[in-house]
Amino acid sequence: MSAPNKSYDPVEVEALKPEEIERMRDEALAAFAAAGDLEQLQEAKVAHTGGTSPLALANREIGALPPQAKAEAGKRVGMARGAVSKALAARQSELEAERDARVLVEEAVDVTLPYDRVPAGARHPLTTFMERVADVFVAMGYEIAEGPEVEAEWFNFDALNFTPDHPARQMQDTFFVQGPKGTEGGGTSQASGSGGESGVVLRTHTSPVQARAMLDREPPVYIVCPGRVYRTDELDATHTPVFHQIELLAVDEGLTMADLKGTLDHMVQSLFGADMKTRLRPNYFPFTEPSAEMDMVCYVCRGESVGNPDRPCRTCGSEGWIELGGCGMVNPKVLTACGVDPQKYSGFAFGFGIERMLMFRHNVEDMRDMVEGDVRFTRPFGMEI
Ligand code: DAH
């Protein structure tokens, strides 16, 4: 039997000498400590723990040693590597904490800084709602018609069969831009349109567009006119001197009150729901005969508050109906004044205020909210198109 090879002294393997291992370990620890950021630490990690690092190379030498020496060297290298990876992990978390603290400071958002973006605007609910109503009629084949807001007194009153002494002409209702016969900015309160030159007014309703449409077109005429109107009212919770109306006019052969009623029902059903309906109550307007006041079923309580004290409705005052506006069959005198033969054609018309309708449709309690231009009022309607 051959004796063990005593001439091989493991202590002589340079890389495995205790002081060498210690040096490698200390160099690694020093490199980690010197790394100023995570990137440098990564480089040190590769250099001191990677596959070609001194400790890894030393580790490879162990296999060649005899058992006793192998165990000792293995323990030495293992402890050194353990210390190195512990130091690496400690430095890693130290540098990560430093980085996180720095990011927190550098990327901090000061929520108290002034807001510098221009807030997105929103279309005014009166505009969107007016368009929505007009669309109901456009879908039925009606044409949108427009007229001037500064209107001849003749169109605003005379053509519509308002007699010269009709109270609506008086100064307390009508803004006169120019009185009759050229009187500047006023004239008499009994501003007569008869005989002399017509004055100029801010239109008090959209009905003059009826007269303009009939004079412009040959029947059949089917028009809808959304627009701004003016009256000398004080601004309060239920009045505004500038408001909006929608006017409808149909002139054709054989139109009757039944067509008017069907059109009104269709409108309220399109705007408020399929179970809606309208009712007509006799009234007087100079430009329609017969004339009626139109009501619709209360949008809020749907009539359920009537005779039901447990369920009162503020919107309709527990009446079950809400007054919408005026309507009727176009007065033959108006047809004649506008060049339409009343023997051949008949027509129906209606008009109502948009502000009022918007108020009960959206529970707006004060009309001033609609005119004051505060974006806090309009913004919730911003998604409506
Ligand atoms: N122009 C009327 C007003 O402002 C409303 C009105 C009533 C319009 C009857 C019409 C109508 O077209 O037929 O009070």
Side-chain angles (χ1 to χ4, degrees):
M1 260 178 90
S2 63
N5 182 1
K6 291 240 171 79
S7 70
Y8 180 72
D9 180 359
V11 180
E12 290 309 309
V13 175
E14 187 66 20
L16 291 173
K17 284 183 180 164
E19 57 277 19
E20 265 307 290
I21 301 292
E22 262 169 42
R23 190 185 56 75
M24 291 173 198
R25 182 197 65 196
D26 293 346
E27 267 176 17
L29 300 192
F32 297 158
D37 58 33
L38 287 163
E39 218 168 280
Q40 289 172 9
L41 186 65
Q42 178 63 20
E43 282 167 23
K45 175 183 171 182
V46 172
H48 294 279
T49 66
T52 56
S53 64
L55 275 172
L57 294 178
N59 196 46
R60 275 191 225 154
E61 302 283 340
I62 298 173
L65 298 179
Q68 176 60 29
K70 201 186 219 170
E72 277 169 24
K75 193 172 166 201
R76 244 188 339 264
V77 174
M79 279 176 66
R81 293 180 99 191
V84 166
S85 65
K86 240 178 164 176
L88 174 67
R91 186 68 184 141
Q92 175 92 18
S93 51
E94 219 171 82
L95 287 174
E96 276 172 2
E98 265 175 37
R99 179 205 53 197
D100 292 349
R102 196 180 55 246
V103 165
L104 275 181
V105 173
E106 283 171 4
E107 296 178 12
V109 175
D110 182 354
V111 291
T112 65
L113 278 179
Y115 184 61
D116 65 349
R117 282 200 206 143
V118 181
R123 299 182 75 208
H124 198 279
L126 280 173
T127 313
T128 33
F129 188 58
M130 209 154 62
E131 279 177 14
R132 180 172 295 204
V133 180
D135 278 353
V136 171
F137 297 107
V138 169
M140 287 196 276
Y142 282 73
E143 184 191 338
I144 305 255
E146 285 183 331
E149 290 172 23
V150 180
E151 181 60 286
E153 199 184 350
W154 188 84
F155 277 110
N156 197 76
F157 293 124
D158 299 81
L160 299 172
N161 194 35
F162 281 83
T163 50
D165 54 355
H166 193 283
R169 291 191 188 231
Q170 290 186 7
M171 293 299 287
Q172 56 265 43
D173 288 321
T174 309
F175 283 113
F176 277 86
V177 175
Q178 198 174 35
K181 300 175 192 120
T183 349
E184 275 303 311
T188 60
S189 64
Q190 208 70 2
S192 163
S194 64
E197 278 170 56
S198 174
V200 178
V201 299
L202 295 185
R203 67 179 179 193
T204 57
H205 52 176
T206 42
S207 302
V209 184
Q210 289 188 23
R212 288 183 173 274
M214 283 188 272
L215 285 166
D216 274 1
R217 300 164 174 74
E218 285 301 312
V221 174
Y222 287 88
I223 56 128
V224 57
C225 167
R228 200 176 287 145
V229 301
Y230 303 83
R231 282 184 205 174
T232 54
D233 285 324
E234 291 289 329
L235 180 64
D236 64 25
T238 51
H239 294 89
T240 148
V242 184
F243 58 104
H244 298 78
Q245 287 188 335
I246 279 220
E247 188 84 15
L248 191 99
L249 171 73
V251 177
D252 207 338
E253 289 180 45
L255 291 182
T256 70
M257 210 77 180
D259 298 303
L260 167 63
K261 180 73 166 70
T263 308
L264 289 173
D265 282 345
H266 176 73
M267 175 183 76
V268 294
Q269 283 159 12
S270 305
L271 294 172
F272 294 95
D275 56 337
M276 278 290 152
K277 54 183 184 186
T278 57
R279 77 174 178 190
L280 301 181
R281 286 178 290 116
N283 197 3
Y284 172 77
F285 295 102
F287 42 97
T288 39
E289 183 58 38
S291 301
E293 204 68 48
M294 53 173 164
D295 298 342
M296 64 175 245
V297 170
C298 175
Y299 171 60
V300 177
C301 73
R302 299 255 194 305
E304 281 172 26
S305 64
V306 184
N308 187 355
D310 298 338
R311 204 175 171 279
C313 179
R314 272 195 305 160
T315 307
C316 64
S318 301
E319 297 268 321
W321 295 92
I322 295 171
E323 191 181 308
L324 267 193
C327 63
M329 299 306 292
V330 182
N331 192 317
K333 285 187 188 164
V334 174
L335 293 177
T336 306
C338 298
V340 176
D341 179 2
Q343 300 298 326
K344 187 167 177 203
Y345 295 105
S346 58
F348 64 80
F350 64 81
F352 58 84
I354 293 292
E355 275 78 359
R356 251 178 65 74
M357 213 191 220
L358 193 78
M359 279 177 92
F360 59 74
R361 191 170 189 262
H362 291 282
N363 259 323
V364 180
E365 288 188 349
D366 195 319
M367 211 174 254
R368 283 167 291 201
D369 289 338
M370 285 187 238
V371 299
E372 277 170 353
D374 190 328
V375 289
R376 286 172 299 179
F377 173 75
T378 43
R379 206 174 283 137
F381 294 89
M383 297 306 289
E384 285 209 35
I385 49 163

